[in-house]
Amino acid sequence: MKTNKRITRAYCVELDREMSIVAARREYLSLEPPRERFTFLCTNEECRELKAKITGVNYDVNPQETTQLQTAHFRANPKDEHCSDCEWIEHDSSSDQDKSRPGETEEQAALRKAKRKLDDYIDIFDPSLKEKTRGGEHRGSGGDEIDGDGHGTGVRRTNAEPSDRRRAPTKTTDLERLVESYRTAKAELSKDQFNLLTLQVSGYGVVPLRSYFRHIGAATSLGDNGCVLFGGGTIKRYGEGFSFTFYDTLADQRVSLYVPAKQMSTYRYRRYLKELVIQADEVRYVTLYSLGLLEENPKGKGIDLKVKDLRQIAFVLGPAKSPAEST
Ligand SMILES: [Zn+2]
């Protein structure tokens, strides 16, 4: 059979595990060049026996705001056959999918339709850093989880009922994946549809997705704002480390993140992050999304954004500089 759902995870042959496209991009861009593209197969083992290939699109470039390039996503190979209980096959006909289901309110039906338009929709986000680094590496660090029982993508869930799996909400601890999902939803849905989206934040509750993202200028307090803070700014390199300063101020104070070389050196995806930081020179601005804490700078130089772990930041490159802007 052919798949008819958006494919949000695939099995990477080279890394021998399932992953989201965001995790695939981070892994790929962490390889030493010259890089060879990954081979992806369906997440379902039976489909893999049928050699059902999945294509990873645009995972070989850094996350960026551009209209020329589609965001990174997976796509099924149209010629390949999948088994009938593949999780990427929805058996209802498309006309049924547009009708309200029994017991469903109009709003729930509208939300279901909005989600169907998205490549990757996150239902549950866990902002905790529970996957601790072990000896510098952490398994399953892509942060993708299929369900709430703490299994990372490295765990094959062959005993799960396919029907249960199909209904399972998408859960992740991967900030970058949440950011990609948020950006795509904002770009592809109408404002009304976007406003319907909710996010369950582990240990906190269900919030409108839009309210989990707060512009830096609207941060309400020092310390933890309980949400993702974001804003545009510029990057400056200091050897292996770097700093990022937001354009917008908070209560007239400049807000900066400083990542020392030492913090970079222990980060698993340092190569990926470093290339992104270098490429930041070629773009007009960079947007930072972060789960860090805001603290007053001890020397009175504005406000510091502090991150315990570099998994708490995600950068998106802005548009390229025009030739006149490049120096
Ligand atoms: Zn399949």
Side-chain angles (χ1 to χ4, degrees):
M1 295 182 78
K2 310 288 181 195
T3 63
N4 57 0
K5 286 176 73 179
R6 302 268 185 162
I7 292 170
T8 61
R9 281 174 292 110
Y11 172 83
C12 176
V13 174
E14 289 79 3
L15 300 174
D16 185 28
R17 63 181 170 96
E18 281 180 26
M19 58 182 61
S20 66
I21 194 75
V22 171
R25 176 174 63 199
R26 206 166 33 218
E27 293 287 352
Y28 179 81
L29 294 173
S30 296
L31 298 175
E32 202 165 332
R35 301 169 176 133
E36 269 184 57
R37 291 182 74 94
F38 291 145
T39 309
F40 297 104
L41 297 171
C42 185
T43 50
N44 189 308
E45 286 201 338
E46 277 183 68
C47 300
R48 293 211 282 276
E49 278 160 29
L50 299 171
K51 303 263 182 293
K53 276 194 182 167
I54 303 291
T55 305
V57 181
N58 293 339
Y59 70 93
D60 56 338
V61 289
N62 280 317
Q64 51 195 281
E65 284 171 31
T66 163
T67 46
Q68 279 110 50
L69 196 73
Q70 276 184 293
T71 52
H73 62 279
F74 286 123
R75 189 177 62 206
N77 185 331
K79 283 183 191 156
D80 288 352
E81 291 294 327
H82 291 248
C83 66
S84 63
D85 63 357
C86 172
E87 65 176 313
W88 311 113
I89 297 174
E90 194 156 49
H91 292 278
D92 303 341
S93 70
S94 58
S95 60
D96 288 346
Q97 288 175 26
D98 285 334
K99 283 186 201 148
S100 286
R101 290 175 180 173
E104 192 178 56
T105 65
E106 245 176 71
E107 191 170 302
Q108 285 165 335
L111 176 61
R112 185 166 49 79
K113 283 175 215 165
K115 285 183 184 180
R116 271 196 12 239
K117 290 189 181 176
L118 302 170
D119 283 322
D120 188 17
Y121 180 76
I122 308 299
D123 299 282
I124 307 168
F125 177 64
D126 183 354
S128 70
L129 295 165
K130 61 186 176 187
E131 283 174 311
K132 290 278 177 261
T133 304
R134 287 184 220 110
E137 301 286 311
H138 38 262
R139 184 162 168 75
S141 54
D144 301 315
E145 289 176 44
I146 296 159
D147 55 21
D149 62 8
H151 290 303
T153 44
V155 181
R156 288 204 189 90
R157 296 176 71 237
T158 45
N159 56 348
E161 289 297 321
S163 57
D164 285 352
R165 204 173 146 144
R166 217 166 277 146
R167 277 197 302 274
T170 303
K171 180 177 177 177
T172 189
T173 58
D174 185 341
L175 173 67
E176 218 168 10
R177 187 174 175 198
L178 178 72
V179 167
E180 196 93 338
S181 164
Y182 167 84
R183 291 174 54 230
T184 314
K186 233 182 154 187
E188 292 187 10
L189 300 181
S190 69
K191 197 161 184 264
D192 287 347
Q193 280 180 322
F194 179 73
N195 288 344
L196 288 172
L197 301 179
T198 56
L199 180 70
Q200 186 182 329
V201 182
S202 299
Y204 189 74
V206 177
V207 295
L209 178 65
R210 65 175 195 279
S211 72
Y212 196 62
F213 286 79
R214 190 173 299 156
H215 191 266
I216 189 67
T220 50
S221 62
L222 290 177
D224 185 3
N225 273 256
C227 62
V228 176
L229 295 172
F230 72 94
T234 49
I235 286 180
K236 209 168 163 182
R237 274 188 278 152
Y238 296 98
E240 293 296 300
F242 68 92
S243 72
F244 173 90
T245 304
F246 287 103
Y247 289 130
D248 289 295
T249 56
L250 176 58
D252 291 329
Q253 299 208 72
R254 202 177 64 168
V255 187
S256 311
L257 163 79
Y258 176 60
V259 176
K262 200 178 157 208
Q263 193 173 17
M264 275 295 262
S265 69
T266 55
Y267 182 45
R268 179 174 176 182
Y269 299 106
R270 56 192 171 273
R271 187 189 300 274
Y272 164 57
L273 186 55
K274 194 182 166 187
E275 279 193 25
L276 225 151
V277 164
I278 292 171
Q279 214 190 323
D281 283 346
E282 293 156 30
V283 298
R284 272 192 258 164
Y285 61 88
V286 177
T287 306
L288 171 65
Y289 295 82
S290 177
L291 286 164
L293 305 180
L294 296 177
E295 287 175 13
E296 264 182 69
N297 180 280
K299 291 177 188 161
K301 291 179 182 167
I303 296 170
D304 293 335
L305 173 67
K306 294 275 190 185
V307 290
K308 262 192 233 144
D309 191 294
L310 293 175
R311 285 176 285 166
Q312 292 177 310
I313 59 170
F315 284 117
V316 179
L317 298 172
K321 284 177 183 169
S322 61
E325 288 169 300
S326 307
T327 45

